[in-house]
Amino acid sequence: MVPRTDLSHISSLNISDEEKSPNQLLKFLTELSRALTTAGIAVMSIESILKKICQAYGFKAEEVISLPTFLIIKIANGDSKALEVTMQKPGVLPLDQVSRLYELINQAENAEITPEQGIRRIKEIINVKRQHNYIKNILGYALFSTGLGMLFLPTFNGLFFCGALGAIAGLILAYSEDKKRLTLILPVLTAFFVSTIFFLGIKQGIINGSLTIMVPALAYFIPGAVLSTGMFELAANNLVSGASRLVQGVVILLLLLFGVIVGLQVVGLPEDYIIANTSTPLYWWAPYIGVLIFTLGMYLLMCIRNKDMLGVLIVLLATFLGQQAGNYLLGGLFGAFTGSIIMTMLGTFLERSKLRTPYYVSIIPAFWVLVPGALGLISLAALVGQNYSSSIASLIQVALTFVAISTGLLIGAVIADPLKIGSSP
């Protein structure tokens, strides 16, 4: 656990002039931008946060250009100006760390802490040491995979193997937690081991079904949120950032596909066995139970804080129900669009409500429910299996799904912006 520091007694009135120097504030903003980029926050959100903090400390942000790998920030206070140019790196942070970052942001936007205290707090949050917990990772991933599988798998047999493959992926993920070099090849490694076991089960006649059974076990690595955020940034005219995220997402999908193909070849099955069919769920109630199981898996796997769980569950269920209603009315694209709008508006609402659930923490699990990344992997797999006509049509459908989600994010953000509940964060 990260030690908490009570900073409520600090106000902008007792921050010294030295501590309000532009250089110290720049360092704080730089470290905060790096942390938010590592968490995967959209660049528009990062730029908005940095500008609000500058204003809170009496400075004007003359230039703020945040990219996934690069930050330029120029601030001024009268004749005093400072410029910072630094490199940063996208990545993944556990959601409890993201929540603590947003608590820090709330304090900084009200100038309740000094820049030096903010820098120390960021280091405490990012550099927290976690003990290996194999049981938590394995169980969390198994529930995560089973919950997703219940959205579209039609048999109990398929669900069982979906959960078993998820447990294997969870074991690999737990083993690689503190091994940075292994993290670089983790998507390929996990796809290889999971697909080898899956195709071996098919070869021995133990598993009956399509590639869809295996997809939930790889869903943690499928970059649905990255691809959707990239489309969102492109739609908001952040061309460099959006394009870089899209390239990153496509590369991760290709790495996963490479691991699957190598696993198929090691087992010795022909490529005809790459069959990727989408199906109706087991029973009408199965997807709703699946969302609850998936949420519990996310709680264990992504380290969601207890106080944020209610907000996460509300957004997940509302997004899923909105998607289902859209699917019923006008089809899948409208379902993705509707779910995305509801996700964005409700996430913003809850962040500004008494729950104070950070927007990013509440919407990230919902991205997996929208399942655009999984559709992309299935389409690429069908292409490898030489089912060209259906795979190309599916890829076009996936691209349109990303457009629908990103449009929903933009419209939801425009609608939610005037909402004010209590004090704005």
Side-chain angles (χ1 to χ4, degrees):
M1 293 291 293
V2 178
R4 295 177 180 270
T5 304
D6 184 10
L7 300 172
S8 58
H9 63 284
I10 300 175
S11 68
S12 57
L13 297 177
N14 56 29
I15 297 175
S16 68
D17 292 337
E18 181 183 355
E19 287 169 328
K20 292 180 69 174
S21 70
N23 290 329
Q24 284 190 323
L25 181 58
L26 267 179
K27 186 177 180 182
F28 172 47
L29 295 175
T30 300
E31 293 299 323
L32 182 60
S33 177
R34 284 175 176 168
L36 293 173
T37 300
T38 301
I41 310 296
V43 295
M44 301 88 72
S45 299
I46 296 176
E47 291 174 1
S48 175
I49 289 169
L50 298 185
K51 288 177 180 178
K52 286 181 181 178
I53 293 175
C54 277
Q55 185 178 7
Y57 286 96
F59 288 85
K60 179 183 178 182
E62 293 190 344
E63 290 289 344
V64 179
I65 302 174
S66 177
L67 300 175
T69 57
F70 199 68
L71 172 69
I72 299 175
I73 180 168
K74 179 182 179 182
I75 63 176
N77 182 12
D79 295 331
S80 178
K81 296 187 178 183
L83 173 69
E84 181 74 20
V85 180
T86 185
M87 302 299 291
Q88 48 191 21
K89 182 174 64 174
V92 177
L93 279 183
L95 294 182
D96 62 333
Q97 290 178 275
V98 177
S99 293
R100 292 188 175 95
L101 280 175
Y102 272 88
E103 286 180 348
L104 174 63
I105 290 168
N106 289 335
Q107 291 178 320
E109 287 180 350
N110 293 296
E112 294 174 354
I113 59 172
T114 66
E116 282 187 346
Q117 289 169 329
I119 293 168
R120 288 197 300 269
R121 182 73 176 128
I122 291 171
K123 290 179 179 179
E124 289 175 358
I125 294 170
I126 299 299
N127 299 325
V128 61
K129 297 294 183 181
R130 296 181 184 272
Q131 293 182 342
H132 276 291
N133 193 330
Y134 282 90
I135 295 177
K136 182 180 178 181
N137 274 273
I138 293 170
L139 179 60
Y141 208 128
L143 293 171
F144 169 90
S145 180
T146 303
L148 282 181
M150 291 185 75
L151 301 182
F152 49 78
L153 290 177
T155 65
F156 283 113
N157 179 273
L159 283 176
F160 171 79
F161 287 109
C162 176
L165 292 172
I168 294 169
L171 176 62
I172 298 170
L173 187 66
Y175 177 76
S176 64
E177 260 187 3
D178 59 350
K179 300 174 178 61
K180 293 185 179 180
R181 292 185 179 180
L182 190 59
T183 303
L184 298 174
I185 60 170
L186 195 57
V188 177
L189 193 65
T190 306
F192 169 70
F193 279 111
V194 169
S195 63
T196 299
I197 295 169
F198 173 74
F199 289 122
L200 188 61
I202 289 180
K203 188 175 183 179
Q204 298 299 322
I206 301 172
I207 302 176
N208 295 315
S210 74
L211 188 72
T212 313
I213 294 175
M214 186 180 66
V215 167
L218 300 177
Y220 178 84
F221 303 97
I222 293 174
V226 173
L227 292 169
S228 299
T229 302
M231 288 296 297
F232 175 54
E233 290 174 338
L234 284 176
N237 291 323
N238 285 275
L239 302 182
V240 175
S241 177
S244 64
R245 287 193 200 273
L246 286 181
V247 171
Q248 179 193 6
V250 170
V251 168
I252 293 173
L253 277 178
L254 292 174
L255 288 173
L256 287 168
L257 183 61
F258 175 75
V260 170
I261 294 172
V262 172
L264 182 70
Q265 293 175 343
V266 166
V267 174
L269 289 176
E271 291 178 351
D272 295 341
Y273 275 82
I274 297 188
I275 302 171
N277 299 322
T278 55
S279 307
T280 56
L282 190 62
Y283 297 107
W284 68 267
W285 47 260
Y288 303 97
I289 302 299
V291 170
L292 297 177
I293 294 174
F294 168 77
T295 306
L296 181 57
M298 286 291 294
Y299 169 74
L300 297 173
L301 189 62
M302 294 294 288
C303 303
I304 301 174
R305 296 191 303 180
N306 293 336
K307 63 183 292 186
D308 294 329
M309 276 299 294
L310 179 59
V312 169
L313 185 58
I314 290 172
V315 173
L316 258 174
L317 287 172
T319 301
F320 179 71
L321 290 173
Q323 182 189 33
Q324 293 299 304
N327 290 346
Y328 178 78
L329 292 174
L330 293 175
L333 290 179
F334 188 69
F337 173 72
T338 305
S340 180
I341 287 182
I342 292 173
M343 175 183 73
T344 305
M345 291 181 60
L346 194 54
T348 304
F349 179 87
L350 290 178
E351 184 177 57
R352 296 170 178 176
S353 72
K354 292 181 180 180
L355 287 178
R356 308 292 287 182
T357 306
Y359 169 79
Y360 184 80
V361 172
S362 66
I363 71 165
I364 279 298
F367 269 115
W368 270 294
V369 173
L370 295 176
V371 202
L375 291 174
L377 180 62
I378 289 174
S379 303
L380 290 173
L383 188 64
V384 173
Q386 300 182 1
N387 192 353
Y388 299 117
S389 58
S390 65
S391 61
I392 291 173
S394 296
L395 284 172
I396 294 174
Q397 183 75 8
V398 170
L400 291 175
T401 302
F402 286 132
V403 172
I405 292 173
S406 60
T407 305
L409 287 170
L410 281 173
I411 294 176
V414 170
I415 296 173
D417 184 64
L419 293 178
K420 302 285 184 182
I421 300 177
S423 58
S424 178

